[in-house]
Amino acid sequence: QKEVEQNSGPLSVPEGAIASLNCTYSDRGSQSFFWYRQYSGKSPELIMFIYSNGDKEDGRFTAQLNKASQYVSLLIRDSQPSDSATYLCAALLSGSARQLTFGSGTQLTVLP
Amino acid sequence: EPEVTQTPSHQVTQMGQEVILRCVPISNHLYFYWYRQILGQKVEFLVSFYNNEISEKSEIFDDQFSVERPDGSNFTLKIRSTKLEDSAMYFCASSAGTSGGVNSYNEQFFGPGTRLTVL
């Protein structure tokens, strides 16, 4: 079974700190990875995607991919209370063109 | 900013009844999807649709489910005979689609969801 694993948390950080969210995947052939934010009772909102090893930055967000370790992370700099949500990691697994496999999500709370 | 829309926001039905969930994908997108999320659980893929046919489906998407693009804008999910375990949030998503290749990406944008409650 090809899985995407996340620490469910909850993860609490003070306002202004860096929040670090982690994700591992079992399918070595996975090529593309996505981070979504989901507020309680709402739909997933795409934050960013990454498919090359290394870092990708977009504003306060940095995604990191290490294919050798099968590890994806999301860093949120200068965390704000409005960042409090569940963060979902999703992977496009090998053998699939379009099917996203989601992790269970990490609940982040940013304390004012 | 263009967005995926879904109707209704909440659907309550009796077990065994048919339901149709509706979605309007982003207008220039070519790929359409249905996902579901049972309360407290992971988001699960159901089906993807391209060029008027199913391109991938999961084990969840059995004969009780069907999808259709009845016109140029709507995309529907039909559940023929609902079961209690079909109660979930159903999300429609769409993506622009790119050419193939190992580094092609697939940004999928989700609609607000339809909460289906089967009694």
Coordinates of all heavy atoms in Angstrom, one line a residue, chain B residues 7-84:
Chain B
T7 N -22.6 22.6 -5.9 CA -24.0 22.6 -5.3 C -24.5 21.2 -5.1 O -24.2 20.3 -5.9 CB -24.9 23.4 -6.2 OG1 -24.9 22.9 -7.5 CG2 -24.5 24.9 -6.3
P8 N -25.4 21.0 -4.1 CA -25.7 21.9 -3.0 C -24.5 21.9 -2.0 O -23.6 21.1 -2.1 CB -26.9 21.3 -2.4 CG -26.8 19.9 -2.6 CD -26.1 19.7 -4.0
S9 N -24.6 22.8 -1.0 CA -23.5 22.8 0.0 C -23.8 21.7 1.0 O -22.8 21.1 1.6 CB -23.5 24.1 0.7 OG -24.7 24.4 1.3
H10 N -25.0 21.3 1.1 CA -25.4 20.2 2.1 C -26.6 19.5 1.5 O -27.5 20.1 1.0 CB -25.8 20.8 3.4 CG -25.9 19.8 4.5 ND1 -26.3 20.0 5.8 CD2 -25.6 18.4 4.5 CE1 -26.3 18.9 6.5 NE2 -25.9 17.9 5.8
Q11 N -26.5 18.1 1.5 CA -27.5 17.3 0.9 C -27.8 16.2 2.0 O -26.9 15.5 2.4 CB -27.0 16.6 -0.4 CG -28.0 15.6 -1.0 CD -29.0 16.2 -1.9 OE1 -28.6 17.0 -2.8 NE2 -30.2 15.8 -1.8
V12 N -29.1 16.1 2.3 CA -29.5 15.1 3.2 C -30.4 14.1 2.4 O -31.3 14.6 1.7 CB -30.3 15.6 4.4 CG1 -30.7 14.5 5.4 CG2 -29.4 16.7 5.2
T13 N -30.2 12.8 2.6 CA -30.9 11.9 1.8 C -31.2 10.6 2.6 O -30.5 10.4 3.6 CB -30.2 11.5 0.5 OG1 -31.1 10.7 -0.3 CG2 -29.0 10.7 0.8
Q14 N -32.1 9.9 2.2 CA -32.4 8.6 2.9 C -31.6 7.5 2.2 O -31.4 7.5 1.0 CB -33.9 8.2 2.7 CG -34.9 9.2 3.4 CD -34.8 9.0 4.9 OE1 -34.5 8.0 5.5 NE2 -34.9 10.2 5.7
M15 N -31.2 6.5 3.0 CA -30.5 5.4 2.5 C -31.2 4.7 1.3 O -32.5 4.6 1.4 CB -30.3 4.4 3.6 CG -29.4 3.2 3.3 SD -29.1 2.3 4.8 CE -30.7 1.8 5.4
G16 N -30.5 4.4 0.3 CA -31.1 3.8 -0.9 C -31.5 4.8 -2.0 O -31.9 4.4 -3.1
Q17 N -31.6 6.1 -1.6 CA -31.9 7.1 -2.6 C -30.7 7.4 -3.5 O -29.6 7.3 -3.1 CB -32.5 8.3 -1.9 CG -33.8 8.1 -1.2 CD -34.9 7.7 -2.1 OE1 -35.2 8.4 -3.0 NE2 -35.5 6.5 -1.8
E18 N -31.1 8.0 -4.7 CA -30.0 8.5 -5.6 C -29.7 9.9 -5.3 O -30.7 10.7 -5.0 CB -30.5 8.3 -7.0 CG -29.6 8.9 -8.1 CD -30.2 8.8 -9.5 OE1 -30.2 7.7 -10.0 OE2 -30.7 9.8 -10.0
V19 N -28.5 10.3 -5.4 CA -28.2 11.7 -5.2 C -27.2 12.1 -6.4 O -26.5 11.3 -6.9 CB -27.4 12.1 -3.9 CG1 -28.4 11.8 -2.7 CG2 -26.2 11.3 -3.7
I20 N -27.3 13.4 -6.8 CA -26.5 14.0 -7.8 C -25.8 15.2 -7.2 O -26.5 16.1 -6.7 CB -27.2 14.3 -9.1 CG1 -27.8 13.1 -9.7 CG2 -26.3 15.0 -10.1 CD1 -28.7 13.3 -10.9
L21 N -24.5 15.2 -7.2 CA -23.7 16.3 -6.7 C -23.2 17.0 -7.9 O -22.7 16.4 -8.8 CB -22.6 15.8 -5.8 CG -23.0 14.9 -4.7 CD1 -21.8 14.6 -3.8 CD2 -24.1 15.4 -3.8
R22 N -23.3 18.4 -7.9 CA -22.9 19.1 -9.0 C -21.7 20.0 -8.8 O -21.5 20.5 -7.7 CB -24.1 20.0 -9.5 CG -25.2 19.1 -10.0 CD -26.4 20.0 -10.5 NE -27.3 19.1 -11.3 CZ -28.2 18.3 -10.8 NH1 -28.4 18.2 -9.5 NH2 -29.0 17.6 -11.6
C23 N -21.0 20.2 -9.8 CA -19.7 21.0 -9.8 C -19.6 21.8 -11.1 O -20.0 21.3 -12.1 CB -18.6 20.0 -9.6 SG -16.9 20.7 -9.9
V24 N -19.1 23.0 -10.9 CA -18.7 23.8 -12.1 C -17.2 24.0 -12.0 O -16.7 24.8 -11.1 CB -19.4 25.1 -12.2 CG1 -18.9 25.9 -13.4 CG2 -20.9 24.9 -12.3
P25 N -16.3 23.3 -12.7 CA -14.9 23.5 -12.7 C -14.5 24.8 -13.2 O -15.2 25.6 -13.8 CB -14.4 22.3 -13.6 CG -15.5 21.4 -13.8 CD -16.7 22.2 -13.7
I26 N -13.2 25.2 -12.9 CA -12.6 26.4 -13.5 C -12.7 26.3 -15.0 O -12.3 25.3 -15.6 CB -11.2 26.6 -12.9 CG1 -11.3 26.8 -11.4 CG2 -10.5 27.7 -13.6 CD1 -9.9 26.9 -10.7
S27 N -13.0 27.4 -15.6 CA -13.5 27.3 -17.0 C -12.5 26.8 -18.0 O -12.9 26.2 -19.0 CB -14.0 28.7 -17.5 OG -13.0 29.6 -17.5
N28 N -11.2 27.1 -17.9 CA -10.3 26.6 -18.9 C -9.6 25.4 -18.5 O -8.6 24.9 -19.1 CB -9.3 27.7 -19.2 CG -8.4 28.1 -18.0 OD1 -8.8 27.8 -16.9 ND2 -7.3 28.8 -18.3
H29 N -10.0 24.7 -17.5 CA -9.4 23.5 -17.0 C -10.0 22.3 -17.8 O -11.1 22.3 -18.3 CB -9.7 23.3 -15.5 CG -8.8 24.1 -14.6 ND1 -8.8 24.0 -13.3 CD2 -7.9 25.1 -15.0 CE1 -7.9 24.9 -12.8 NE2 -7.3 25.5 -13.8
L30 N -9.1 21.3 -17.9 CA -9.4 20.1 -18.7 C -9.6 18.9 -17.9 O -10.2 17.9 -18.4 CB -8.2 19.9 -19.7 CG -7.9 21.1 -20.7 CD1 -6.7 20.7 -21.5 CD2 -9.1 21.4 -21.5
Y31 N -9.1 18.8 -16.7 CA -9.2 17.6 -15.9 C -10.1 17.9 -14.7 O -10.0 19.0 -14.1 CB -7.8 17.2 -15.4 CG -6.9 16.7 -16.5 CD1 -6.2 17.6 -17.3 CD2 -6.8 15.3 -16.7 CE1 -5.3 17.1 -18.3 CE2 -6.0 14.8 -17.7 CZ -5.2 15.7 -18.5 OH -4.4 15.3 -19.5
F32 N -10.9 16.9 -14.4 CA -11.9 17.1 -13.3 C -11.8 15.9 -12.4 O -11.5 14.8 -12.9 CB -13.3 17.3 -13.9 CG -13.4 18.2 -15.0 CD1 -13.9 17.8 -16.3 CD2 -12.9 19.5 -14.9 CE1 -13.9 18.6 -17.3 CE2 -13.0 20.4 -16.0 CZ -13.5 19.9 -17.2
Y33 N -12.1 16.1 -11.1 CA -11.9 15.1 -10.1 C -13.0 15.1 -9.1 O -13.6 16.2 -8.8 CB -10.6 15.3 -9.4 CG -9.4 15.6 -10.2 CD1 -9.1 16.9 -10.6 CD2 -8.5 14.6 -10.7 CE1 -8.0 17.2 -11.5 CE2 -7.5 14.8 -11.5 CZ -7.2 16.1 -11.9 OH -6.1 16.4 -12.7
W34 N -13.2 14.0 -8.5 CA -14.0 13.9 -7.2 C -13.2 13.3 -6.2 O -12.5 12.2 -6.4 CB -15.3 13.2 -7.4 CG -16.4 13.9 -8.2 CD1 -16.7 13.8 -9.5 CD2 -17.2 15.0 -7.7 NE1 -17.7 14.7 -9.9 CE2 -18.0 15.4 -8.8 CE3 -17.4 15.5 -6.4 CZ2 -19.0 16.4 -8.6 CZ3 -18.3 16.5 -6.3 CH2 -19.1 17.0 -7.3
Y35 N -13.2 13.9 -5.0 CA -12.6 13.3 -3.8 C -13.6 13.3 -2.7 O -14.6 14.1 -2.8 CB -11.4 14.2 -3.3 CG -10.2 14.2 -4.2 CD1 -10.1 15.0 -5.3 CD2 -9.1 13.4 -3.9 CE1 -9.0 14.9 -6.1 CE2 -8.0 13.3 -4.7 CZ -7.9 14.1 -5.8 OH -6.8 14.1 -6.6
R36 N -13.4 12.5 -1.7 CA -14.3 12.6 -0.6 C -13.5 12.6 0.7 O -12.3 12.1 0.8 CB -15.3 11.4 -0.6 CG -14.8 10.1 -0.1 CD -15.8 9.1 0.1 NE -15.2 7.9 0.7 CZ -15.9 6.7 0.8 NH1 -17.1 6.6 0.3 NH2 -15.3 5.7 1.4
Q37 N -14.1 13.1 1.8 CA -13.5 13.1 3.1 C -14.5 12.7 4.1 O -15.4 13.6 4.4 CB -12.8 14.4 3.4 CG -12.0 14.5 4.6 CD -11.3 15.8 4.8 OE1 -11.7 16.9 4.4 NE2 -10.1 15.8 5.5
I38 N -14.4 11.5 4.6 CA -15.2 11.2 5.8 C -14.8 11.9 7.0 O -13.5 12.2 7.2 CB -15.2 9.7 6.0 CG1 -15.8 8.9 4.8 CG2 -15.9 9.2 7.3 CD1 -15.6 7.4 4.8
L39 N -15.7 12.3 7.9 CA -15.3 13.2 9.0 C -14.2 12.6 9.8 O -14.2 11.5 10.2 CB -16.6 13.3 9.9 CG -16.5 14.3 11.0 CD1 -16.3 15.7 10.5 CD2 -17.7 14.3 11.9
G40 N -13.1 13.4 9.9 CA -12.0 13.0 10.7 C -11.0 12.2 10.0 O -10.0 11.7 10.6
Q41 N -11.2 11.9 8.7 CA -10.4 11.0 8.0 C -9.7 11.7 6.8 O -9.8 12.9 6.6 CB -11.1 9.8 7.5 CG -11.7 9.0 8.6 CD -12.3 7.7 8.1 OE1 -12.0 7.1 7.1 NE2 -13.3 7.1 8.9
K42 N -8.8 11.0 6.1 CA -8.1 11.5 5.0 C -9.0 11.9 3.8 O -10.0 11.3 3.7 CB -7.0 10.5 4.5 CG -6.0 10.1 5.5 CD -5.0 9.1 4.8 CE -4.0 8.6 5.8 NZ -3.0 7.7 5.1
V43 N -8.5 12.8 3.0 CA -9.1 13.1 1.7 C -8.8 11.9 0.8 O -7.6 11.5 0.7 CB -8.5 14.4 1.1 CG1 -9.1 14.6 -0.3 CG2 -8.8 15.6 2.0
E44 N -9.8 11.3 0.2 CA -9.6 10.1 -0.6 C -10.0 10.4 -2.1 O -11.1 11.0 -2.3 CB -10.5 9.0 -0.1 CG -10.2 8.6 1.3 CD -11.2 7.5 1.8 OE1 -12.4 7.9 1.9 OE2 -10.8 6.3 1.9
F45 N -9.2 10.0 -3.0 CA -9.5 10.1 -4.4 C -10.6 9.2 -4.8 O -10.7 8.0 -4.4 CB -8.2 9.8 -5.2 CG -8.4 9.7 -6.7 CD1 -8.4 10.8 -7.5 CD2 -8.5 8.4 -7.3 CE1 -8.6 10.7 -8.8 CE2 -8.7 8.3 -8.7 CZ -8.7 9.5 -9.4
L46 N -11.5 9.7 -5.6 CA -12.6 8.8 -6.2 C -12.3 8.6 -7.7 O -12.2 7.4 -8.1 CB -13.9 9.4 -6.0 CG -14.5 9.6 -4.6 CD1 -15.8 10.3 -4.6 CD2 -14.6 8.2 -3.9
V47 N -12.2 9.7 -8.5 CA -12.2 9.5 -9.9 C -11.6 10.7 -10.6 O -11.7 11.8 -10.0 CB -13.7 9.3 -10.4 CG1 -14.5 10.5 -10.2 CG2 -13.7 8.8 -11.9
S48 N -11.0 10.5 -11.7 CA -10.6 11.7 -12.5 C -11.2 11.5 -13.9 O -11.5 10.4 -14.4 CB -9.0 11.8 -12.6 OG -8.5 10.6 -13.2
F49 N -11.4 12.6 -14.6 CA -12.2 12.7 -15.8 C -11.5 13.6 -16.8 O -11.2 14.7 -16.4 CB -13.6 13.2 -15.4 CG -14.7 13.0 -16.5 CD1 -15.4 11.9 -16.6 CD2 -15.0 14.1 -17.3 CE1 -16.4 11.7 -17.6 CE2 -16.0 14.0 -18.3 CZ -16.7 12.8 -18.4
Y50 N -11.4 13.1 -18.0 CA -10.7 14.0 -19.0 C -11.3 13.6 -20.4 O -11.5 12.4 -20.7 CB -9.2 13.8 -19.0 CG -8.5 14.4 -20.2 CD1 -8.3 15.8 -20.3 CD2 -7.9 13.6 -21.2 CE1 -7.7 16.3 -21.3 CE2 -7.2 14.1 -22.2 CZ -7.1 15.5 -22.3 OH -6.4 16.1 -23.4
N51 N -11.6 14.6 -21.2 CA -12.0 14.4 -22.5 C -13.2 13.5 -22.6 O -13.3 12.5 -23.4 CB -10.9 13.7 -23.4 CG -11.1 13.9 -24.8 OD1 -11.7 14.8 -25.3 ND2 -10.5 13.0 -25.6
N52 N -14.1 13.7 -21.7 CA -15.4 13.0 -21.6 C -15.3 11.6 -21.2 O -16.3 10.8 -21.5 CB -16.2 13.2 -22.9 CG -17.0 14.5 -22.9 OD1 -17.5 15.0 -21.9 ND2 -17.0 15.2 -24.1
E53 N -14.3 11.2 -20.6 CA -14.2 9.8 -20.1 C -13.4 9.7 -18.8 O -12.6 10.6 -18.5 CB -13.7 8.9 -21.1 CG -12.3 9.2 -21.6 CD -11.9 8.2 -22.7 OE1 -12.8 7.7 -23.5 OE2 -10.7 7.9 -22.8
I54 N -13.7 8.7 -18.0 CA -12.9 8.5 -16.8 C -11.5 8.1 -17.2 O -11.3 7.2 -18.0 CB -13.6 7.3 -16.0 CG1 -14.9 7.8 -15.4 CG2 -12.7 6.9 -14.9 CD1 -15.7 6.7 -14.7
S55 N -10.5 8.8 -16.5 CA -9.1 8.4 -16.8 C -8.6 7.5 -15.7 O -7.7 6.7 -15.9 CB -8.3 9.6 -17.0 OG -8.5 10.6 -16.0
E56 N -9.0 7.8 -14.5 CA -8.6 6.9 -13.3 C -9.7 6.8 -12.3 O -10.5 7.8 -12.2 CB -7.3 7.5 -12.6 CG -6.0 7.4 -13.4 CD -4.9 8.0 -12.6 OE1 -4.3 7.3 -11.8 OE2 -4.6 9.2 -12.8
K57 N -9.8 5.7 -11.6 CA -10.8 5.6 -10.5 C -10.2 4.8 -9.4 O -9.3 3.9 -9.7 CB -12.1 5.1 -11.0 CG -12.0 3.7 -11.6 CD -13.4 3.2 -12.1 CE -13.3 1.8 -12.6 NZ -14.7 1.4 -13.1
S58 N -10.6 5.0 -8.2 CA -10.2 4.2 -7.1 C -11.1 3.1 -6.8 O -12.2 2.9 -7.4 CB -10.0 5.1 -5.9 OG -11.3 5.5 -5.4
E59 N -10.7 2.2 -5.9 CA -11.5 1.1 -5.5 C -12.9 1.6 -4.9 O -13.8 0.8 -4.9 CB -10.8 0.2 -4.5 CG -9.6 -0.5 -5.1 CD -8.8 -1.2 -4.0 OE1 -9.1 -1.1 -2.8 OE2 -7.9 -2.0 -4.4
I60 N -12.9 2.8 -4.3 CA -14.1 3.3 -3.7 C -15.2 3.5 -4.8 O -16.3 3.3 -4.6 CB -13.8 4.6 -3.0 CG1 -12.8 4.5 -1.9 CG2 -15.1 5.2 -2.4 CD1 -12.3 5.8 -1.4
F61 N -14.7 3.9 -6.0 CA -15.6 4.3 -7.1 C -16.1 3.0 -7.7 O -15.6 2.6 -8.8 CB -14.9 5.1 -8.1 CG -15.7 5.9 -9.1 CD1 -16.3 7.1 -8.8 CD2 -16.0 5.3 -10.3 CE1 -17.1 7.8 -9.7 CE2 -16.8 5.9 -11.2 CZ -17.4 7.2 -10.9
D62 N -17.1 2.4 -7.1 CA -17.7 1.2 -7.6 C -18.9 1.5 -8.5 O -19.1 2.6 -8.9 CB -18.0 0.2 -6.5 CG -19.1 0.8 -5.5 OD1 -19.8 1.7 -5.9 OD2 -19.2 0.3 -4.4
D63 N -19.7 0.4 -8.8 CA -20.8 0.6 -9.8 C -21.9 1.5 -9.3 O -22.8 1.9 -10.0 CB -21.4 -0.8 -10.1 CG -20.4 -1.7 -10.8 OD1 -19.4 -1.1 -11.4 OD2 -20.6 -2.9 -10.9
Q64 N -21.9 1.8 -8.0 CA -22.9 2.8 -7.5 C -22.6 4.2 -7.9 O -23.5 5.1 -7.7 CB -22.9 2.7 -5.9 CG -23.4 1.3 -5.4 CD -24.8 1.1 -5.8 OE1 -25.7 2.0 -5.7 NE2 -25.1 -0.2 -6.1
F65 N -21.4 4.5 -8.3 CA -21.0 5.8 -8.6 C -20.9 6.0 -10.1 O -20.5 5.1 -10.9 CB -19.6 6.1 -8.0 CG -19.5 6.2 -6.5 CD1 -19.3 5.1 -5.8 CD2 -19.7 7.4 -5.9 CE1 -19.3 5.1 -4.4 CE2 -19.6 7.5 -4.5 CZ -19.4 6.3 -3.7
S66 N -21.2 7.2 -10.6 CA -21.0 7.5 -12.0 C -20.7 9.0 -12.1 O -21.1 9.8 -11.2 CB -22.1 7.1 -12.9 OG -23.3 7.8 -12.5
V67 N -20.0 9.4 -13.1 CA -19.7 10.8 -13.3 C -20.1 11.2 -14.8 O -20.2 10.3 -15.7 CB -18.2 11.2 -13.1 CG1 -17.9 11.1 -11.7 CG2 -17.3 10.3 -14.0
E68 N -20.4 12.5 -14.9 CA -20.9 12.9 -16.2 C -20.5 14.4 -16.4 O -20.5 15.1 -15.4 CB -22.4 12.7 -16.3 CG -23.0 12.9 -17.7 CD -24.5 12.7 -17.7 OE1 -25.1 12.9 -16.6 OE2 -25.0 12.3 -18.7
R69 N -20.3 14.8 -17.6 CA -20.2 16.2 -17.9 C -21.3 16.5 -18.9 O -21.2 16.3 -20.1 CB -18.8 16.5 -18.6 CG -18.5 17.9 -18.8 CD -17.1 18.2 -18.7 NE -16.7 19.5 -19.3 CZ -16.7 20.6 -18.6 NH1 -17.1 20.6 -17.4 NH2 -16.3 21.7 -19.1
P70 N -22.5 16.8 -18.4 CA -23.7 16.9 -19.2 C -23.7 18.1 -20.2 O -24.4 18.0 -21.2 CB -24.8 17.0 -18.2 CG -24.2 17.6 -17.0 CD -22.8 17.1 -17.0
D71 N -22.8 19.1 -19.9 CA -22.8 20.2 -20.8 C -21.4 20.8 -20.7 O -20.5 20.2 -20.1 CB -23.8 21.3 -20.5 CG -23.8 21.7 -19.0 OD1 -22.6 21.9 -18.5 OD2 -24.8 21.7 -18.4
G72 N -21.2 22.0 -21.3 CA -19.8 22.5 -21.3 C -19.3 23.1 -20.0 O -18.1 23.4 -19.9
S73 N -20.1 23.1 -19.0 CA -19.6 23.7 -17.7 C -19.8 22.8 -16.5 O -19.0 22.9 -15.6 CB -20.3 25.0 -17.5 OG -21.7 24.8 -17.4
N74 N -20.8 22.0 -16.5 CA -21.1 21.2 -15.3 C -20.4 19.8 -15.3 O -20.1 19.2 -16.3 CB -22.6 20.9 -15.1 CG -23.3 22.2 -14.8 OD1 -23.3 22.7 -13.6 ND2 -24.0 22.8 -15.8
F75 N -20.1 19.3 -14.1 CA -19.5 18.0 -13.9 C -20.2 17.4 -12.7 O -20.3 18.1 -11.6 CB -18.0 18.2 -13.6 CG -17.2 16.9 -13.4 CD1 -17.3 15.8 -14.2 CD2 -16.4 16.8 -12.3 CE1 -16.6 14.7 -14.0 CE2 -15.7 15.6 -12.0 CZ -15.8 14.6 -12.9
T76 N -20.8 16.2 -12.9 CA -21.6 15.7 -11.8 C -21.1 14.4 -11.3 O -20.5 13.6 -12.1 CB -23.1 15.5 -12.3 OG1 -23.1 14.6 -13.4 CG2 -23.7 16.8 -12.7
L77 N -21.4 14.1 -10.1 CA -21.2 12.8 -9.4 C -22.5 12.2 -9.0 O -23.3 12.9 -8.3 CB -20.3 12.9 -8.2 CG -20.1 11.6 -7.4 CD1 -19.2 10.6 -8.2 CD2 -19.4 12.0 -6.1
K78 N -22.9 11.1 -9.5 CA -24.1 10.4 -9.1 C -23.8 9.2 -8.2 O -23.0 8.4 -8.6 CB -24.9 10.0 -10.3 CG -26.3 9.4 -10.0 CD -26.9 8.7 -11.2 CE -27.4 9.6 -12.2 NZ -28.1 8.9 -13.3
I79 N -24.6 9.1 -7.1 CA -24.5 7.9 -6.3 C -25.9 7.3 -6.4 O -26.9 7.9 -6.1 CB -24.2 8.2 -4.9 CG1 -22.9 9.1 -4.8 CG2 -24.0 6.9 -4.1 CD1 -22.6 9.5 -3.3
R80 N -26.0 6.1 -7.0 CA -27.3 5.5 -7.4 C -28.1 5.1 -6.2 O -29.3 5.4 -6.1 CB -27.1 4.3 -8.3 CG -26.6 4.6 -9.6 CD -26.7 3.4 -10.6 NE -26.1 3.8 -11.9 CZ -24.8 3.9 -12.1 NH1 -23.9 3.7 -11.2 NH2 -24.4 4.3 -13.3
S81 N -27.5 4.4 -5.2 CA -28.3 3.9 -4.1 C -27.4 4.2 -2.8 O -26.5 3.4 -2.5 CB -28.6 2.4 -4.3 OG -29.2 1.9 -3.1
T82 N -27.7 5.3 -2.2 CA -26.8 5.7 -1.1 C -26.8 4.7 0.1 O -27.8 4.2 0.4 CB -27.1 7.1 -0.7 OG1 -28.5 7.2 -0.4 CG2 -26.8 8.1 -1.7
K83 N -25.6 4.6 0.7 CA -25.5 3.9 1.9 C -25.1 4.8 3.1 O -24.6 5.9 2.8 CB -24.4 2.8 1.7 CG -24.5 1.9 0.5 CD -23.4 0.9 0.5 CE -23.5 0.0 -0.8 NZ -22.6 0.4 -1.8
L84 N -25.2 4.3 4.3 CA -24.9 5.1 5.4 C -23.4 5.6 5.3 O -23.1 6.7 5.7 CB -25.1 4.4 6.7 CG -26.6 4.0 7.1 CD1 -26.6 3.2 8.3 CD2 -27.4 5.3 7.2

